[in-house]
Amino acid sequence: MGEIWIKEAERLGDGSVGGAMDSPSAPGRVVWHTTESGHGDANFKNVGDYLRTVASEPHILYDPTTDRLGQYGPLNQSARALKNDGITRTNRTGKVCIQIEVLAKASNPFTGYWKPGPNFKALMRAIRSWGVPDTFPMGTPAATSSTTKRNRTTWATKGGHYGHCNVPGNDHWDPGAISTAALFKAAPVTPAGGGSTSTPSASTYTVKAGDTLSSIGTKTGVKWETLASLNSLKSPYTIKVGQVLKLKASTTTKPATKPSVSVAHLNAARAKDIPAATGHTTYAAEVKVVEAALKAEGHLDAKYASDGSWGTTTDAAYEAFRRAHGYKGDEAKGAVGLESLKILASRHAFTAKA
């Protein structure tokens, strides 16, 4: 049994939302939604009240800019934010189906500008207490309404995190292309007693009453998926008291440094390279990072993706990227803006700065 009420969260409503889960033996999962609204305290109240009025309450309402956290109902019961998939009640799938509405818009992924704090860590602590793994079984949530993935088998059988865009029977594409890595990095798992999660403190662990693979991972510093792999466990990864799990120390490697791209440098390159002779470069290294990302997004042909020159083709590709993420008219044209660059950076392992 995991956390039912998050002690750090404000109580929203009367605490009664849904009911018992239909498939409590299935793995637990989380569904991320966006409210398609602004953020801040006024929106927190107005949207929060609206969700109650239309009987579409999630479990959680979260403001990514203030770290404000509210909870409508107990995590071990269903919420009301999903449509059914025929006769399948998607709100009641799994031992838990924790639904989170984030005060944000899908077209501007909140991980590009958010300010997660202790309340977000508390939310992730509660999620992990139910054994929900730090994975997205259907991959990074959809970047557009036309790129959604809704696999019924995956949804029914795989525990982890999902976007609203992944739930069968639903037609929304939120929460947008959030950075899944940033989501988990903002709330790192710390073993009991502190220390690093990179190396287990022992070569074996004996399962105790009340243990889950997630809690064992927290105690030993080994991710639950690794525990399952090392012991040849099969889904749903059953364990029993007294079972001895063989652990394997992992090596700690220094994470690769993400390249940094400056908006000022890109705009300087844009101003100089476009009117210059073909192939002229200014801040080529940073332009190449953006070109590679635009290629991966499908907006820039491979033959232009590594020359480091911000010519008319690269400029048109960046404009196409902005249109694909909700920018319209003049907003999609002209100089590179920090907001749009952060969206691209969140999807392609670089950092954006002014």
Side-chain angles (χ1 to χ4, degrees), residues 64-101:
T65 63
T66 65
D67 199 42
R68 190 174 176 183
L69 183 69
Q71 183 172 355
Y72 286 97
L75 301 185
N76 64 337
Q77 295 185 11
S78 68
R80 296 172 175 163
L82 296 173
K83 293 180 180 178
N84 289 342
D85 181 27
I87 63 172
T88 300
R89 301 195 292 184
T90 50
N91 286 297
R92 299 176 186 247
T93 302
K95 62 180 177 182
V96 291
C97 183
I98 300 170
Q99 297 183 49
I100 304 164
E101 284 276 5

PDB file of all heavy atoms in Angstrom, residues 64-101:
ATOM      1  N   PRO A  64       3.201  24.421 -12.237  1.00  0.00           N
ATOM      2  CA  PRO A  64       4.632  24.219 -12.464  1.00  0.00           C
ATOM      3  C   PRO A  64       5.482  25.455 -12.203  1.00  0.00           C
ATOM      4  O   PRO A  64       6.703  25.366 -12.162  1.00  0.00           O
ATOM      5  CB  PRO A  64       4.697  23.815 -13.942  1.00  0.00           C
ATOM      6  CG  PRO A  64       3.528  24.515 -14.562  1.00  0.00           C
ATOM      7  CD  PRO A  64       2.451  24.469 -13.510  1.00  0.00           C
ATOM      8  N   THR A  65       4.854  26.619 -12.034  1.00  0.00           N
ATOM      9  CA  THR A  65       5.622  27.845 -11.815  1.00  0.00           C
ATOM     10  C   THR A  65       5.696  28.246 -10.350  1.00  0.00           C
ATOM     11  O   THR A  65       6.594  28.986  -9.951  1.00  0.00           O
ATOM     12  CB  THR A  65       5.021  29.017 -12.607  1.00  0.00           C
ATOM     13  OG1 THR A  65       3.694  29.285 -12.139  1.00  0.00           O
ATOM     14  CG2 THR A  65       4.976  28.697 -14.093  1.00  0.00           C
ATOM     15  N   THR A  66       4.761  27.765  -9.531  1.00  0.00           N
ATOM     16  CA  THR A  66       4.777  28.097  -8.106  1.00  0.00           C
ATOM     17  C   THR A  66       4.978  26.881  -7.214  1.00  0.00           C
ATOM     18  O   THR A  66       5.136  27.021  -6.008  1.00  0.00           O
ATOM     19  CB  THR A  66       3.458  28.774  -7.700  1.00  0.00           C
ATOM     20  OG1 THR A  66       2.380  27.832  -7.843  1.00  0.00           O
ATOM     21  CG2 THR A  66       3.178  30.004  -8.555  1.00  0.00           C
ATOM     22  N   ASP A  67       4.942  25.685  -7.803  1.00  0.00           N
ATOM     23  CA  ASP A  67       5.069  24.419  -7.071  1.00  0.00           C
ATOM     24  C   ASP A  67       3.868  24.167  -6.159  1.00  0.00           C
ATOM     25  O   ASP A  67       3.938  23.373  -5.235  1.00  0.00           O
ATOM     26  CB  ASP A  67       6.366  24.399  -6.246  1.00  0.00           C
ATOM     27  CG  ASP A  67       6.781  22.985  -5.855  1.00  0.00           C
ATOM     28  OD1 ASP A  67       6.694  22.079  -6.699  1.00  0.00           O
ATOM     29  OD2 ASP A  67       7.184  22.776  -4.690  1.00  0.00           O
ATOM     30  N   ARG A  68       2.759  24.812  -6.444  1.00  0.00           N
ATOM     31  CA  ARG A  68       1.553  24.618  -5.639  1.00  0.00           C
ATOM     32  C   ARG A  68       0.902  23.292  -5.989  1.00  0.00           C
ATOM     33  O   ARG A  68       0.757  22.946  -7.172  1.00  0.00           O
ATOM     34  CB  ARG A  68       0.580  25.774  -5.867  1.00  0.00           C
ATOM     35  CG  ARG A  68      -0.603  25.792  -4.905  1.00  0.00           C
ATOM     36  CD  ARG A  68      -1.429  27.055  -5.109  1.00  0.00           C
ATOM     37  NE  ARG A  68      -2.612  27.044  -4.254  1.00  0.00           N
ATOM     38  CZ  ARG A  68      -3.540  28.006  -4.265  1.00  0.00           C
ATOM     39  NH1 ARG A  68      -3.410  29.047  -5.086  1.00  0.00           N
ATOM     40  NH2 ARG A  68      -4.591  27.929  -3.455  1.00  0.00           N
ATOM     41  N   LEU A  69       0.487  22.557  -4.972  1.00  0.00           N
ATOM     42  CA  LEU A  69      -0.006  21.191  -5.151  1.00  0.00           C
ATOM     43  C   LEU A  69      -1.332  21.033  -4.432  1.00  0.00           C
ATOM     44  O   LEU A  69      -1.458  21.384  -3.253  1.00  0.00           O
ATOM     45  CB  LEU A  69       1.018  20.211  -4.577  1.00  0.00           C
ATOM     46  CG  LEU A  69       0.765  18.712  -4.716  1.00  0.00           C
ATOM     47  CD1 LEU A  69       0.894  18.274  -6.166  1.00  0.00           C
ATOM     48  CD2 LEU A  69       1.755  17.932  -3.845  1.00  0.00           C
ATOM     49  N   GLY A  70      -2.337  20.538  -5.136  1.00  0.00           N
ATOM     50  CA  GLY A  70      -3.634  20.267  -4.535  1.00  0.00           C
ATOM     51  C   GLY A  70      -4.075  18.849  -4.831  1.00  0.00           C
ATOM     52  O   GLY A  70      -3.713  18.275  -5.864  1.00  0.00           O
ATOM     53  N   GLN A  71      -4.871  18.261  -3.951  1.00  0.00           N
ATOM     54  CA  GLN A  71      -5.334  16.885  -4.140  1.00  0.00           C
ATOM     55  C   GLN A  71      -6.837  16.810  -3.926  1.00  0.00           C
ATOM     56  O   GLN A  71      -7.368  17.248  -2.904  1.00  0.00           O
ATOM     57  CB  GLN A  71      -4.615  15.932  -3.174  1.00  0.00           C
ATOM     58  CG  GLN A  71      -4.994  14.468  -3.371  1.00  0.00           C
ATOM     59  CD  GLN A  71      -4.138  13.516  -2.551  1.00  0.00           C
ATOM     60  OE1 GLN A  71      -3.185  13.927  -1.892  1.00  0.00           O
ATOM     61  NE2 GLN A  71      -4.474  12.237  -2.592  1.00  0.00           N
ATOM     62  N   TYR A  72      -7.545  16.219  -4.905  1.00  0.00           N
ATOM     63  CA  TYR A  72      -8.997  16.101  -4.850  1.00  0.00           C
ATOM     64  C   TYR A  72      -9.462  14.845  -4.122  1.00  0.00           C
ATOM     65  O   TYR A  72     -10.479  14.859  -3.430  1.00  0.00           O
ATOM     66  CB  TYR A  72      -9.583  16.065  -6.266  1.00  0.00           C
ATOM     67  CG  TYR A  72      -9.588  17.368  -6.997  1.00  0.00           C
ATOM     68  CD1 TYR A  72      -8.574  17.684  -7.896  1.00  0.00           C
ATOM     69  CD2 TYR A  72     -10.599  18.291  -6.813  1.00  0.00           C
ATOM     70  CE1 TYR A  72      -8.570  18.885  -8.590  1.00  0.00           C
ATOM     71  CE2 TYR A  72     -10.618  19.489  -7.504  1.00  0.00           C
ATOM     72  CZ  TYR A  72      -9.602  19.790  -8.386  1.00  0.00           C
ATOM     73  OH  TYR A  72      -9.617  20.974  -9.070  1.00  0.00           O
ATOM     74  N   GLY A  73      -8.782  13.728  -4.366  1.00  0.00           N
ATOM     75  CA  GLY A  73      -9.272  12.472  -3.831  1.00  0.00           C
ATOM     76  C   GLY A  73      -8.151  11.507  -3.520  1.00  0.00           C
ATOM     77  O   GLY A  73      -6.992  11.739  -3.884  1.00  0.00           O
ATOM     78  N   PRO A  74      -8.453  10.399  -2.857  1.00  0.00           N
ATOM     79  CA  PRO A  74      -7.426   9.428  -2.468  1.00  0.00           C
ATOM     80  C   PRO A  74      -6.797   8.738  -3.687  1.00  0.00           C
ATOM     81  O   PRO A  74      -7.491   8.428  -4.651  1.00  0.00           O
ATOM     82  CB  PRO A  74      -8.192   8.428  -1.598  1.00  0.00           C
ATOM     83  CG  PRO A  74      -9.616   8.546  -2.042  1.00  0.00           C
ATOM     84  CD  PRO A  74      -9.805   9.985  -2.430  1.00  0.00           C
ATOM     85  N   LEU A  75      -5.500   8.523  -3.612  1.00  0.00           N
ATOM     86  CA  LEU A  75      -4.780   7.955  -4.754  1.00  0.00           C
ATOM     87  C   LEU A  75      -5.138   6.503  -5.029  1.00  0.00           C
ATOM     88  O   LEU A  75      -4.898   6.005  -6.132  1.00  0.00           O
ATOM     89  CB  LEU A  75      -3.265   8.077  -4.537  1.00  0.00           C
ATOM     90  CG  LEU A  75      -2.708   9.488  -4.350  1.00  0.00           C
ATOM     91  CD1 LEU A  75      -1.179   9.451  -4.266  1.00  0.00           C
ATOM     92  CD2 LEU A  75      -3.155  10.425  -5.471  1.00  0.00           C
ATOM     93  N   ASN A  76      -5.709   5.817  -4.053  1.00  0.00           N
ATOM     94  CA  ASN A  76      -6.039   4.400  -4.258  1.00  0.00           C
ATOM     95  C   ASN A  76      -7.430   4.205  -4.849  1.00  0.00           C
ATOM     96  O   ASN A  76      -7.891   3.079  -5.001  1.00  0.00           O
ATOM     97  CB  ASN A  76      -5.917   3.628  -2.943  1.00  0.00           C
ATOM     98  CG  ASN A  76      -6.906   4.100  -1.890  1.00  0.00           C
ATOM     99  OD1 ASN A  76      -7.395   5.231  -1.937  1.00  0.00           O
ATOM    100  ND2 ASN A  76      -7.201   3.245  -0.925  1.00  0.00           N
ATOM    101  N   GLN A  77      -8.111   5.307  -5.189  1.00  0.00           N
ATOM    102  CA  GLN A  77      -9.390   5.228  -5.877  1.00  0.00           C
ATOM    103  C   GLN A  77      -9.285   5.941  -7.218  1.00  0.00           C
ATOM    104  O   GLN A  77      -8.290   6.591  -7.507  1.00  0.00           O
ATOM    105  CB  GLN A  77     -10.502   5.835  -5.013  1.00  0.00           C
ATOM    106  CG  GLN A  77     -10.762   5.067  -3.733  1.00  0.00           C
ATOM    107  CD  GLN A  77     -11.952   5.614  -2.964  1.00  0.00           C
ATOM    108  OE1 GLN A  77     -12.716   6.431  -3.466  1.00  0.00           O
ATOM    109  NE2 GLN A  77     -12.112   5.149  -1.731  1.00  0.00           N
ATOM    110  N   SER A  78     -10.322   5.831  -8.019  1.00  0.00           N
ATOM    111  CA  SER A  78     -10.276   6.410  -9.360  1.00  0.00           C
ATOM    112  C   SER A  78     -10.514   7.918  -9.322  1.00  0.00           C
ATOM    113  O   SER A  78     -11.044   8.459  -8.344  1.00  0.00           O
ATOM    114  CB  SER A  78     -11.329   5.763 -10.262  1.00  0.00           C
ATOM    115  OG  SER A  78     -12.627   6.126  -9.826  1.00  0.00           O
ATOM    116  N   ALA A  79     -10.104   8.576 -10.397  1.00  0.00           N
ATOM    117  CA  ALA A  79     -10.430   9.982 -10.613  1.00  0.00           C
ATOM    118  C   ALA A  79     -11.452  10.064 -11.754  1.00  0.00           C
ATOM    119  O   ALA A  79     -12.045   9.050 -12.141  1.00  0.00           O
ATOM    120  CB  ALA A  79      -9.165  10.771 -10.932  1.00  0.00           C
ATOM    121  N   ARG A  80     -11.640  11.271 -12.333  1.00  0.00           N
ATOM    122  CA  ARG A  80     -12.699  11.436 -13.334  1.00  0.00           C
ATOM    123  C   ARG A  80     -12.227  12.155 -14.594  1.00  0.00           C
ATOM    124  O   ARG A  80     -13.041  12.687 -15.352  1.00  0.00           O
ATOM    125  CB  ARG A  80     -13.856  12.247 -12.730  1.00  0.00           C
ATOM    126  CG  ARG A  80     -14.560  11.577 -11.569  1.00  0.00           C
ATOM    127  CD  ARG A  80     -15.534  12.526 -10.914  1.00  0.00           C
ATOM    128  NE  ARG A  80     -16.319  11.891  -9.872  1.00  0.00           N
ATOM    129  CZ  ARG A  80     -16.993  12.543  -8.931  1.00  0.00           C
ATOM    130  NH1 ARG A  80     -16.967  13.871  -8.913  1.00  0.00           N
ATOM    131  NH2 ARG A  80     -17.678  11.902  -8.032  1.00  0.00           N
ATOM    132  N   ALA A  81     -10.927  12.192 -14.835  1.00  0.00           N
ATOM    133  CA  ALA A  81     -10.398  13.042 -15.906  1.00  0.00           C
ATOM    134  C   ALA A  81     -10.267  12.345 -17.254  1.00  0.00           C
ATOM    135  O   ALA A  81      -9.859  12.968 -18.229  1.00  0.00           O
ATOM    136  CB  ALA A  81      -9.036  13.603 -15.489  1.00  0.00           C
ATOM    137  N   LEU A  82     -10.599  11.058 -17.342  1.00  0.00           N
ATOM    138  CA  LEU A  82     -10.459  10.308 -18.591  1.00  0.00           C
ATOM    139  C   LEU A  82     -11.812   9.853 -19.125  1.00  0.00           C
ATOM    140  O   LEU A  82     -12.738   9.584 -18.358  1.00  0.00           O
ATOM    141  CB  LEU A  82      -9.576   9.070 -18.378  1.00  0.00           C
ATOM    142  CG  LEU A  82      -8.122   9.306 -17.995  1.00  0.00           C
ATOM    143  CD1 LEU A  82      -7.446   7.984 -17.658  1.00  0.00           C
ATOM    144  CD2 LEU A  82      -7.379  10.035 -19.093  1.00  0.00           C
ATOM    145  N   LYS A  83     -11.903   9.730 -20.448  1.00  0.00           N
ATOM    146  CA  LYS A  83     -13.054   9.113 -21.076  1.00  0.00           C
ATOM    147  C   LYS A  83     -12.892   7.600 -21.043  1.00  0.00           C
ATOM    148  O   LYS A  83     -11.776   7.082 -21.059  1.00  0.00           O
ATOM    149  CB  LYS A  83     -13.183   9.561 -22.539  1.00  0.00           C
ATOM    150  CG  LYS A  83     -13.509  11.034 -22.738  1.00  0.00           C
ATOM    151  CD  LYS A  83     -13.612  11.337 -24.231  1.00  0.00           C
ATOM    152  CE  LYS A  83     -13.930  12.791 -24.485  1.00  0.00           C
ATOM    153  NZ  LYS A  83     -13.993  13.089 -25.943  1.00  0.00           N
ATOM    154  N   ASN A  84     -14.009   6.878 -21.015  1.00  0.00           N
ATOM    155  CA  ASN A  84     -13.957   5.420 -21.112  1.00  0.00           C
ATOM    156  C   ASN A  84     -13.521   4.999 -22.508  1.00  0.00           C
ATOM    157  O   ASN A  84     -13.726   5.731 -23.484  1.00  0.00           O
ATOM    158  CB  ASN A  84     -15.312   4.799 -20.807  1.00  0.00           C
ATOM    159  CG  ASN A  84     -15.684   4.911 -19.342  1.00  0.00           C
ATOM    160  OD1 ASN A  84     -14.825   5.144 -18.492  1.00  0.00           O
ATOM    161  ND2 ASN A  84     -16.953   4.743 -19.035  1.00  0.00           N
ATOM    162  N   ASP A  85     -12.946   3.819 -22.612  1.00  0.00           N
ATOM    163  CA  ASP A  85     -12.610   3.222 -23.904  1.00  0.00           C
ATOM    164  C   ASP A  85     -13.625   2.113 -24.159  1.00  0.00           C
ATOM    165  O   ASP A  85     -13.399   0.956 -23.826  1.00  0.00           O
ATOM    166  CB  ASP A  85     -11.185   2.666 -23.865  1.00  0.00           C
ATOM    167  CG  ASP A  85     -10.768   2.049 -25.190  1.00  0.00           C
ATOM    168  OD1 ASP A  85     -11.303   2.478 -26.235  1.00  0.00           O
ATOM    169  OD2 ASP A  85      -9.907   1.145 -25.183  1.00  0.00           O
ATOM    170  N   GLY A  86     -14.763   2.494 -24.712  1.00  0.00           N
ATOM    171  CA  GLY A  86     -15.846   1.526 -24.858  1.00  0.00           C
ATOM    172  C   GLY A  86     -16.363   1.146 -23.481  1.00  0.00           C
ATOM    173  O   GLY A  86     -16.746   2.005 -22.686  1.00  0.00           O
ATOM    174  N   ILE A  87     -16.329  -0.151 -23.174  1.00  0.00           N
ATOM    175  CA  ILE A  87     -16.782  -0.599 -21.853  1.00  0.00           C
ATOM    176  C   ILE A  87     -15.652  -0.594 -20.833  1.00  0.00           C
ATOM    177  O   ILE A  87     -15.884  -0.844 -19.646  1.00  0.00           O
ATOM    178  CB  ILE A  87     -17.404  -2.007 -21.937  1.00  0.00           C
ATOM    179  CG1 ILE A  87     -16.349  -3.031 -22.395  1.00  0.00           C
ATOM    180  CG2 ILE A  87     -18.624  -2.021 -22.843  1.00  0.00           C
ATOM    181  CD1 ILE A  87     -16.845  -4.467 -22.313  1.00  0.00           C
ATOM    182  N   THR A  88     -14.440  -0.305 -21.281  1.00  0.00           N
ATOM    183  CA  THR A  88     -13.303  -0.254 -20.359  1.00  0.00           C
ATOM    184  C   THR A  88     -13.261   1.102 -19.662  1.00  0.00           C
ATOM    185  O   THR A  88     -13.200   2.150 -20.308  1.00  0.00           O
ATOM    186  CB  THR A  88     -11.971  -0.474 -21.098  1.00  0.00           C
ATOM    187  OG1 THR A  88     -11.995  -1.761 -21.719  1.00  0.00           O
ATOM    188  CG2 THR A  88     -10.795  -0.395 -20.143  1.00  0.00           C
ATOM    189  N   ARG A  89     -13.305   1.065 -18.346  1.00  0.00           N
ATOM    190  CA  ARG A  89     -13.275   2.302 -17.570  1.00  0.00           C
ATOM    191  C   ARG A  89     -11.812   2.681 -17.315  1.00  0.00           C
ATOM    192  O   ARG A  89     -11.182   2.197 -16.383  1.00  0.00           O
ATOM    193  CB  ARG A  89     -14.060   2.132 -16.266  1.00  0.00           C
ATOM    194  CG  ARG A  89     -15.521   1.767 -16.516  1.00  0.00           C
ATOM    195  CD  ARG A  89     -16.382   1.943 -15.286  1.00  0.00           C
ATOM    196  NE  ARG A  89     -16.068   0.991 -14.221  1.00  0.00           N
ATOM    197  CZ  ARG A  89     -16.752   0.913 -13.072  1.00  0.00           C
ATOM    198  NH1 ARG A  89     -17.771   1.741 -12.852  1.00  0.00           N
ATOM    199  NH2 ARG A  89     -16.425   0.026 -12.160  1.00  0.00           N
ATOM    200  N   THR A  90     -11.284   3.535 -18.165  1.00  0.00           N
ATOM    201  CA  THR A  90      -9.855   3.867 -18.122  1.00  0.00           C
ATOM    202  C   THR A  90      -9.459   4.545 -16.814  1.00  0.00           C
ATOM    203  O   THR A  90      -8.313   4.410 -16.370  1.00  0.00           O
ATOM    204  CB  THR A  90      -9.483   4.776 -19.300  1.00  0.00           C
ATOM    205  OG1 THR A  90     -10.403   5.865 -19.367  1.00  0.00           O
ATOM    206  CG2 THR A  90      -9.530   4.005 -20.610  1.00  0.00           C
ATOM    207  N   ASN A  91     -10.383   5.258 -16.188  1.00  0.00           N
ATOM    208  CA  ASN A  91     -10.076   5.875 -14.900  1.00  0.00           C
ATOM    209  C   ASN A  91      -9.777   4.839 -13.825  1.00  0.00           C
ATOM    210  O   ASN A  91      -9.170   5.171 -12.808  1.00  0.00           O
ATOM    211  CB  ASN A  91     -11.255   6.738 -14.423  1.00  0.00           C
ATOM    212  CG  ASN A  91     -11.383   8.030 -15.194  1.00  0.00           C
ATOM    213  OD1 ASN A  91     -10.497   8.869 -15.168  1.00  0.00           O
ATOM    214  ND2 ASN A  91     -12.500   8.195 -15.894  1.00  0.00           N
ATOM    215  N   ARG A  92     -10.203   3.614 -14.062  1.00  0.00           N
ATOM    216  CA  ARG A  92     -10.090   2.567 -13.032  1.00  0.00           C
ATOM    217  C   ARG A  92      -9.128   1.456 -13.421  1.00  0.00           C
ATOM    218  O   ARG A  92      -9.215   0.337 -12.920  1.00  0.00           O
ATOM    219  CB  ARG A  92     -11.479   1.997 -12.730  1.00  0.00           C
ATOM    220  CG  ARG A  92     -12.438   3.056 -12.184  1.00  0.00           C
ATOM    221  CD  ARG A  92     -13.847   2.512 -11.982  1.00  0.00           C
ATOM    222  NE  ARG A  92     -14.764   3.565 -11.593  1.00  0.00           N
ATOM    223  CZ  ARG A  92     -15.364   3.646 -10.393  1.00  0.00           C
ATOM    224  NH1 ARG A  92     -15.120   2.732  -9.476  1.00  0.00           N
ATOM    225  NH2 ARG A  92     -16.204   4.634 -10.130  1.00  0.00           N
ATOM    226  N   THR A  93      -8.207   1.753 -14.350  1.00  0.00           N
ATOM    227  CA  THR A  93      -7.230   0.755 -14.793  1.00  0.00           C
ATOM    228  C   THR A  93      -6.026   0.742 -13.863  1.00  0.00           C
ATOM    229  O   THR A  93      -5.450   1.790 -13.567  1.00  0.00           O
ATOM    230  CB  THR A  93      -6.767   1.059 -16.227  1.00  0.00           C
ATOM    231  OG1 THR A  93      -7.888   1.072 -17.103  1.00  0.00           O
ATOM    232  CG2 THR A  93      -5.767   0.008 -16.700  1.00  0.00           C
ATOM    233  N   GLY A  94      -5.611  -0.473 -13.434  1.00  0.00           N
ATOM    234  CA  GLY A  94      -4.423  -0.607 -12.604  1.00  0.00           C
ATOM    235  C   GLY A  94      -4.729  -0.548 -11.124  1.00  0.00           C
ATOM    236  O   GLY A  94      -5.839  -0.219 -10.707  1.00  0.00           O
ATOM    237  N   LYS A  95      -3.705  -0.856 -10.316  1.00  0.00           N
ATOM    238  CA  LYS A  95      -3.918  -0.765  -8.865  1.00  0.00           C
ATOM    239  C   LYS A  95      -4.057   0.690  -8.447  1.00  0.00           C
ATOM    240  O   LYS A  95      -4.743   1.005  -7.458  1.00  0.00           O
ATOM    241  CB  LYS A  95      -2.788  -1.445  -8.103  1.00  0.00           C
ATOM    242  CG  LYS A  95      -1.406  -0.874  -8.284  1.00  0.00           C
ATOM    243  CD  LYS A  95      -0.399  -1.665  -7.459  1.00  0.00           C
ATOM    244  CE  LYS A  95       1.022  -1.174  -7.674  1.00  0.00           C
ATOM    245  NZ  LYS A  95       1.991  -1.973  -6.896  1.00  0.00           N
ATOM    246  N   VAL A  96      -3.397   1.587  -9.184  1.00  0.00           N
ATOM    247  CA  VAL A  96      -3.666   3.021  -9.085  1.00  0.00           C
ATOM    248  C   VAL A  96      -3.574   3.602 -10.496  1.00  0.00           C
ATOM    249  O   VAL A  96      -2.860   3.083 -11.347  1.00  0.00           O
ATOM    250  CB  VAL A  96      -2.676   3.776  -8.159  1.00  0.00           C
ATOM    251  CG1 VAL A  96      -2.874   3.395  -6.702  1.00  0.00           C
ATOM    252  CG2 VAL A  96      -1.227   3.559  -8.590  1.00  0.00           C
ATOM    253  N   CYS A  97      -4.313   4.656 -10.724  1.00  0.00           N
ATOM    254  CA  CYS A  97      -4.227   5.406 -11.985  1.00  0.00           C
ATOM    255  C   CYS A  97      -4.229   6.883 -11.588  1.00  0.00           C
ATOM    256  O   CYS A  97      -5.261   7.559 -11.632  1.00  0.00           O
ATOM    257  CB  CYS A  97      -5.397   5.072 -12.903  1.00  0.00           C
ATOM    258  SG  CYS A  97      -5.322   5.887 -14.515  1.00  0.00           S
ATOM    259  N   ILE A  98      -3.058   7.351 -11.161  1.00  0.00           N
ATOM    260  CA  ILE A  98      -2.927   8.687 -10.576  1.00  0.00           C
ATOM    261  C   ILE A  98      -2.924   9.732 -11.686  1.00  0.00           C
ATOM    262  O   ILE A  98      -2.035   9.742 -12.538  1.00  0.00           O
ATOM    263  CB  ILE A  98      -1.642   8.783  -9.737  1.00  0.00           C
ATOM    264  CG1 ILE A  98      -1.670   7.745  -8.608  1.00  0.00           C
ATOM    265  CG2 ILE A  98      -1.466  10.196  -9.166  1.00  0.00           C
ATOM    266  CD1 ILE A  98      -0.356   7.588  -7.874  1.00  0.00           C
ATOM    267  N   GLN A  99      -3.914  10.603 -11.659  1.00  0.00           N
ATOM    268  CA  GLN A  99      -4.075  11.586 -12.726  1.00  0.00           C
ATOM    269  C   GLN A  99      -3.708  12.979 -12.233  1.00  0.00           C
ATOM    270  O   GLN A  99      -4.180  13.424 -11.186  1.00  0.00           O
ATOM    271  CB  GLN A  99      -5.503  11.550 -13.247  1.00  0.00           C
ATOM    272  CG  GLN A  99      -5.832  10.194 -13.866  1.00  0.00           C
ATOM    273  CD  GLN A  99      -7.207  10.151 -14.446  1.00  0.00           C
ATOM    274  OE1 GLN A  99      -7.597  11.042 -15.199  1.00  0.00           O
ATOM    275  NE2 GLN A  99      -7.963   9.123 -14.109  1.00  0.00           N
ATOM    276  N   ILE A 100      -2.863  13.643 -13.023  1.00  0.00           N
ATOM    277  CA  ILE A 100      -2.303  14.935 -12.639  1.00  0.00           C
ATOM    278  C   ILE A 100      -2.645  15.967 -13.700  1.00  0.00           C
ATOM    279  O   ILE A 100      -2.276  15.807 -14.864  1.00  0.00           O
ATOM    280  CB  ILE A 100      -0.777  14.842 -12.477  1.00  0.00           C
ATOM    281  CG1 ILE A 100      -0.413  13.756 -11.466  1.00  0.00           C
ATOM    282  CG2 ILE A 100      -0.183  16.191 -12.073  1.00  0.00           C
ATOM    283  CD1 ILE A 100       1.042  13.346 -11.520  1.00  0.00           C
ATOM    284  N   GLU A 101      -3.340  17.011 -13.315  1.00  0.00           N
ATOM    285  CA  GLU A 101      -3.612  18.135 -14.209  1.00  0.00           C
ATOM    286  C   GLU A 101      -2.589  19.227 -13.888  1.00  0.00           C
ATOM    287  O   GLU A 101      -2.527  19.730 -12.752  1.00  0.00           O
ATOM    288  CB  GLU A 101      -5.023  18.672 -14.003  1.00  0.00           C
ATOM    289  CG  GLU A 101      -6.121  17.816 -14.602  1.00  0.00           C
ATOM    290  CD  GLU A 101      -6.368  18.083 -16.086  1.00  0.00           C
ATOM    291  OE1 GLU A 101      -5.608  18.885 -16.673  1.00  0.00           O
ATOM    292  OE2 GLU A 101      -7.291  17.480 -16.661  1.00  0.00           O
TER     293      GLU A 101
END
